[in-house]
Amino acid sequence: MNFPSGRTIFVVLEFHLPFLRVLPSILVMAREFSLIDRYFCRPHARKDVLLGIGDDAALLTPPPGQQLAITTDTLVSGIHFFADVNPYDLGHKALAVNLSDLAAMGATPAWALLSLTLPDADDIWLTAFSAGLFALAEAYEVALVGGDTTRGPLSITLQLIGFVPTNGAITRRGAQVGERVYVSGMPGEAALGLAYLQGKLPLAPRCRDHFVNRLQRPTPRLALGQQLRGLATAAIDISDGLLQDLQHVLDKSGVGARIDLNALPQNEFLDEIPLEHRRTAQLYGGDDYELCFTVSRDKSEKILDLSMACGVLVTEIGTIEAALGICDLDGVPLAAQGYQHF
Ligand code: ADP
Ligand code: MG
């Protein structure tokens, strides 16, 4: 075999050096594009997406007579989820928490953008993560229309855009004295799942599976939220704890609330948790993504029908009062604490 002389090698290297220098970034870019194509470019049925993933920006056509409802949420490894969490569940949750925000506004979701920061391009992880994300996206006819992909500590930011009829959104600011306070589902279950995973609460397998599932696969209450338009005067989704999130509604509306602690919804799983633990989880536990909302007394009989139509338990838990703050039926103040990032 003939080897090139030393001089030839030098010339060849010198000639190729600029190319060699940019080669790693070209390879990274090629990998980034194939990663996006492979895991995040999926067909969808939305006709309002003129241009989705693959250009500098997506082109979308909002429907006439509707306002856009836009929200975003970030999930950071070690803060919002355990680094070794099942990536399918994480894909589900990244979208579910945003869907829940639109549910609380009475909006219908349409388009999503995904900003992913990944330590590496792990095929198994990305396959499961995207499967969890798209299973929920397809269920609610959400099209992923763009995003960004960078390398770094695992963090997921999802932005969701939906529609609501002009001036039809339910906000936090409409609660009035005399109205009833309702909550969907079973607040507290996700917090009990978290307490179990943190080793703070031993649980029998049946309860454990149920609570951990509520933590990792929350169900956004979209049908309920949409049907509450024109019925609920204010609404919020419970991400940081029932009382803390209810307090946001009260602050915006300039009112207070009286809560019947014995009316808090309970099921056969919560029944197994000692009262003190259960109460703390129900009132202060986060991550449930249930809806808390207010309805005037004359419309309250419609809530049962709505609950049946949506297949979601809805429970009356209290009333709106003029006196600020939250208290129980005996007038004892309930501290509106919950999860705080700062
Ligand atoms: P630019 O540098 O112009 O912002 P990118 O190279 O970041 O574009 O992305 C190329 C295309 O892929 C864009 O359409 C972008 O929206 C989309 N994209 C990038 N990352 C993701 C992701 N994680 N999920 C969905 N779409 C993505
Ligand atoms: Mg980019």
Side-chain angles (χ1 to χ4, degrees), residues 11-341:
V11 169
V12 167
L13 270 182
E14 192 179 40
F15 180 74
H16 283 103
L17 211 54
F19 176 72
L20 288 176
R21 246 193 244 116
V22 297
L23 188 60
S25 60
I26 289 173
L27 287 177
V28 166
M29 277 168 62
R31 276 211 304 270
E32 184 188 321
F33 292 137
S34 64
L35 183 153
I36 297 161
D37 280 349
R38 187 150 172 204
Y39 301 104
F40 298 111
C41 256
R42 295 266 182 111
H44 58 80
R46 295 201 71 95
K47 302 232 174 353
D48 50 14
V49 180
L50 268 72
L51 201 52
I53 292 175
D55 215 306
D56 291 311
L59 293 177
L60 311 165
T61 312
Q66 306 265 316
Q67 290 172 322
L68 297 182
I70 305 182
T71 185
T72 188
D73 258 309
T74 295
L75 300 180
V76 178
S77 180
I79 307 284
H80 300 95
F81 59 90
F82 297 106
D84 62 351
V85 73
N86 178 338
Y88 185 99
D89 291 346
L90 194 58
H92 172 103
K93 192 158 175 175
L95 181 55
V97 299
N98 281 282
L99 288 168
S100 175
D101 280 322
L102 290 196
M105 302 296 290
T108 304
W111 311 308
L113 294 156
L114 173 67
S115 294
L116 255 189
T117 305
L118 300 168
D120 48 39
D122 179 330
D123 177 55
I124 292 174
W125 193 94
L126 279 160
T127 301
F129 175 81
S130 55
L133 181 80
F134 280 104
L136 197 60
E138 278 154 27
Y140 290 104
E141 291 173 32
V142 171
L144 183 64
V145 297
D148 198 19
T149 308
T150 50
R151 188 189 289 265
L154 181 58
S155 162
I156 299 143
T157 298
L158 202 131
Q159 189 185 9
L160 188 63
I161 306 164
F163 317 126
V164 68
T166 301
N167 301 326
I170 311 163
T171 68
R172 298 178 181 184
R173 55 183 75 236
Q176 289 184 29
V177 175
E179 290 179 345
R180 300 183 179 184
V181 180
Y182 293 86
V183 74
S184 69
M186 295 284 155
E189 291 191 322
L192 292 166
L194 179 64
Y196 167 80
L197 292 180
Q198 289 172 327
K200 293 179 184 166
L201 180 71
L203 287 176
R206 201 175 68 97
C207 279
R208 175 198 67 199
D209 293 348
H210 177 77
F211 293 143
V212 170
N213 189 54
R214 295 308 301 151
L215 173 71
Q216 295 183 331
R217 297 255 192 112
T219 312
R221 304 301 186 190
L222 280 156
L224 177 63
Q226 287 159 23
Q227 293 190 47
L228 282 173
R229 282 200 316 260
L231 188 55
T233 52
I236 191 166
D237 71 316
I238 307 171
S239 51
D240 297 327
L242 172 61
L243 292 193
Q244 181 165 305
D245 286 321
L246 172 61
Q247 188 61 54
H248 293 315
V249 168
L250 304 178
D251 288 343
K252 291 281 184 195
S253 303
V255 292
R258 184 179 291 260
I259 298 297
D260 180 356
L261 296 177
N262 293 318
L264 292 171
Q266 205 159 317
N267 57 13
E268 80 246 50
F269 303 104
L270 287 166
D271 277 346
E272 305 218 349
I273 308 299
L275 179 67
E276 203 180 318
H277 258 98
R278 186 174 71 223
R279 273 280 145 81
T280 306
Q282 287 171 316
L283 296 177
Y284 305 111
D287 261 349
D288 285 305
Y289 302 98
E290 294 296 347
L291 298 184
C292 178
F293 54 93
T294 52
V295 177
S296 65
R297 271 170 202 277
D298 57 314
K299 289 186 175 168
S300 60
E301 77 281 2
K302 296 196 173 146
I303 295 299
L304 187 63
D305 297 342
L306 192 58
S307 163
M308 307 271 259
C310 300
V312 184
L313 180 77
V314 174
T315 309
E316 182 185 333
I317 58 165
T319 47
I320 296 294
E321 310 260 309
L324 299 185
I326 306 176
C327 64
D328 68 12
L329 286 190
D330 300 323
V332 178
L334 297 167
Q337 79 216 20
Y339 188 78
Q340 303 265 351
H341 281 276

